[in-house]
């Protein structure tokens, strides 16, 4: 039995104790009214979150459908909010993971090649592998790609945004640096910082530091090559390398917010034309809602079905 059910059972037993030893009882034609109320309350507490989730899920789908009809896009969302679960509201955090990349790649694969894609991003980042897969799949889509950032798309979210032909940001929204973070027994450290320490210590650096520095150098080269690949059809290659180095080589701390103005100065294809429906959609992702998927789009067949000329869409 869950903690919540244990809590209801304790309340029920307390009331039973009061009734039995207090000398009074609530009944109606032999029915224990208090017991009936308890079970009705328990049933409501179990059903209500599910009904609320279904209602929000349906409302999001309706709004996504409206956006697709109005703008002609295939709308995909990747919205990662902090969620609270359990009796004590213990928080869990959502990041870009392999399940996200599988879902988004499936959505891209089932989108007709001539239809633009609008990917709504709200994420703190996550696995480089998953973010890179999403970015590559998005870039390979033949039609126009739009990434919409209503609040923030940090780290891996920024990498995905670089694959778009257009990044639509709220004027107060932010992107983030892309310096790789290396996991060590002492904690997580930025690759540029590890390289800096190894360079300053020189021959005095330990074997472990030198190993981490080698990994950090490779990680930097890999992410820079990915950034240049994503950008070189939008800016000259020399400019793409400049942006790649600026985002990865420790010019910023990893959590530094790159504002709309800074992104524009860097040469990224940003605009402030965020559709109003996006803000409405964000309100349909309440922070404390449980058991909510981070990726949503209107399902299509597993095998892409592309409408022929004259066929009704």
């Amino acid at each position: 039995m869950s903690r919540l059910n244990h809590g209801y059972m304790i309340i029920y037993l307390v009331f039973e104790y009061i009734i039995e030893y207090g000398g009074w009882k609530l009944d109606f034609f032999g029915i224990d009214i208090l017991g009936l109320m308890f079970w009705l309350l328990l049933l409501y507490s179990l059903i209500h979150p599910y009904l609320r989730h279904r209602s929000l899920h349906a409302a999001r789908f309706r709004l996504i459908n409206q956006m697709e009809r109005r703008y002609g896009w295939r709308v995909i969302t990747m919205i990662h909010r902090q969620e609270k679960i359990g009796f004590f509201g213990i928080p869990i955090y959502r990041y870009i993971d392999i399940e996200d990349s599988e879902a988004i790649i499936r959505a891209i694969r089932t989108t007709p090649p001539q239809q633009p894609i609008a990917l709504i991003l709200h994420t703190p980042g996550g696995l480089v592998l998953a973010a890179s897969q999403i970015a590559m799949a998005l870039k390979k889509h033949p039609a126009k790609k739009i990434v919409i950032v209503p609040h923030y798309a940090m780290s891996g979210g920024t990498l995905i945004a670089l694959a778009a032909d257009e990044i639509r940001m709220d004027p107060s929204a932010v992107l983030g640096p892309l310096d790789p973070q290396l996991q060590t027994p002492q904690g997580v450290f930025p690759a540029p910082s590890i390289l800096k320490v190894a360079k300053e210590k020189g021959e005095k650096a330990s074997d472990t530091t030198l190993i981490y520095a080698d990994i950090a150098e490779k990680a930097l080269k890999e992410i820079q090559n990915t950034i240049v690949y994503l950008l070189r059809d939008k800016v000259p290659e020399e400019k793409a390398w400049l942006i790649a180095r600026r985002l990865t080589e420790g010019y910023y701390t990893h959590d530094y917010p790159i504002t709309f103005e800074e992104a524009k100065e860097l040469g990224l294809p940003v605009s402030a034309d965020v559709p109003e429906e996006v803000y409405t959609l964000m309100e349909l992702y309440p922070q404390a809602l449980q058991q909510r998927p981070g990726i949503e789009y209107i399902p299509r067949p597993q095998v892409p079905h592309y409408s022929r000329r004259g066929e009704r869409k």
Side-chain angles (χ1 to χ4, degrees):
M1 185 179 291
S2 69
R3 291 177 177 175
L4 183 62
N5 290 344
H6 274 303
Y8 281 117
M9 186 58 68
I10 291 171
I11 294 172
Y12 178 73
L13 292 175
V14 168
F15 274 98
E16 282 290 319
Y17 178 86
I18 294 173
I19 292 170
E20 182 175 352
Y21 294 98
W24 57 279
K25 186 175 182 180
L26 295 173
D27 58 50
F28 184 74
F29 293 110
I31 300 174
D32 184 356
I33 301 299
L34 184 62
L36 180 61
M37 290 177 62
F38 165 76
W39 290 113
L40 289 175
L41 178 63
L42 179 60
L43 181 63
Y44 173 79
S45 68
L46 294 174
I47 294 177
H48 179 259
Y50 172 76
L51 294 178
R52 185 180 179 219
H53 168 68
R54 288 294 300 271
S55 176
L56 284 170
H57 187 75
R60 292 196 292 262
F61 267 36
R62 285 195 299 270
L63 188 54
I64 289 173
N65 187 43
Q66 289 174 14
M67 291 180 65
E68 290 192 344
R69 290 176 177 272
R70 180 176 180 181
Y71 301 104
W73 302 333
R74 178 74 187 279
V75 178
I76 308 169
T77 73
M78 183 164 69
I79 298 175
H80 294 151
R81 284 195 185 276
Q82 177 181 327
E83 298 177 345
K84 295 182 178 180
I85 61 171
F87 187 69
F88 295 104
I90 300 172
I92 60 171
Y93 301 89
R94 293 294 311 277
Y95 299 101
I96 302 172
D97 57 22
I98 296 301
E99 290 185 1
D100 291 335
S101 65
E102 289 177 353
I104 292 181
I105 291 172
R106 185 163 54 249
I108 294 172
R109 188 173 62 245
T110 58
T111 302
Q114 73 276 9
Q115 184 176 23
I117 290 177
L119 175 59
I120 301 172
L121 283 182
H122 177 85
T123 180
L127 294 177
V128 175
L129 171 60
S132 298
Q133 285 185 297
I134 295 170
M136 296 291 187
L138 188 62
K139 181 178 176 58
K140 290 175 182 177
H141 183 68
K144 185 176 182 179
K145 286 82 66 176
I146 302 168
V147 164
I148 302 173
V149 184
H151 183 59
Y152 78 150
M154 305 295 285
S155 190
T158 299
L159 184 66
I160 296 169
L162 297 181
D165 300 309
E166 183 181 359
I167 304 172
R168 298 194 182 190
M169 296 174 61
D170 182 89
S172 299
V174 296
L175 303 176
L178 289 164
D179 48 321
Q181 307 294 296
L182 269 63
Q183 180 73 50
T184 73
Q186 292 77 33
V188 180
F189 299 112
S193 298
I194 294 175
L195 287 172
K196 183 178 179 180
V197 169
K199 183 178 180 181
E200 289 181 353
K201 287 195 171 184
E203 296 180 356
K204 296 180 181 179
S206 67
D207 291 345
T208 301
T209 301
L210 293 175
I211 291 171
Y212 286 143
D214 180 61
I215 298 172
E217 185 177 8
K218 291 174 181 176
L220 274 174
K221 288 180 180 178
E222 289 167 2
I223 195 70
Q224 286 176 352
N225 285 330
T226 301
I227 293 171
V228 171
Y229 170 76
L230 296 174
L231 288 176
R232 64 187 175 192
D233 62 336
K234 294 180 277 288
V235 299
E237 188 160 336
E238 183 179 350
K239 179 68 172 178
W241 278 108
L242 179 65
I243 295 171
R245 289 192 290 269
R246 184 69 172 264
L247 292 176
T248 61
E249 292 185 351
Y251 185 86
Y252 310 102
T253 61
H254 192 63
D255 292 330
Y256 178 80
I258 298 174
T259 63
F260 177 88
E261 291 77 16
E262 287 180 280
K264 197 167 187 177
E265 289 176 5
L266 278 173
L268 299 181
V270 296
S271 77
D273 188 19
V274 177
E276 287 296 325
E277 293 92 339
V278 173
Y279 300 107
T280 305
L281 183 67
M282 290 298 296
E283 293 176 2
L284 298 176
Y285 289 87
Q287 195 80 346
L289 186 64
Q290 301 178 20
Q291 298 177 350
R292 172 185 53 75
I295 309 298
E296 291 186 338
Y297 54 91
I298 297 175
R300 297 259 176 101
Q302 292 294 325
V303 178
H305 171 72
Y306 305 137
S307 59
R308 299 181 180 87
R309 181 177 295 181
E311 183 178 347
R312 184 177 181 181
K313 296 182 179 179

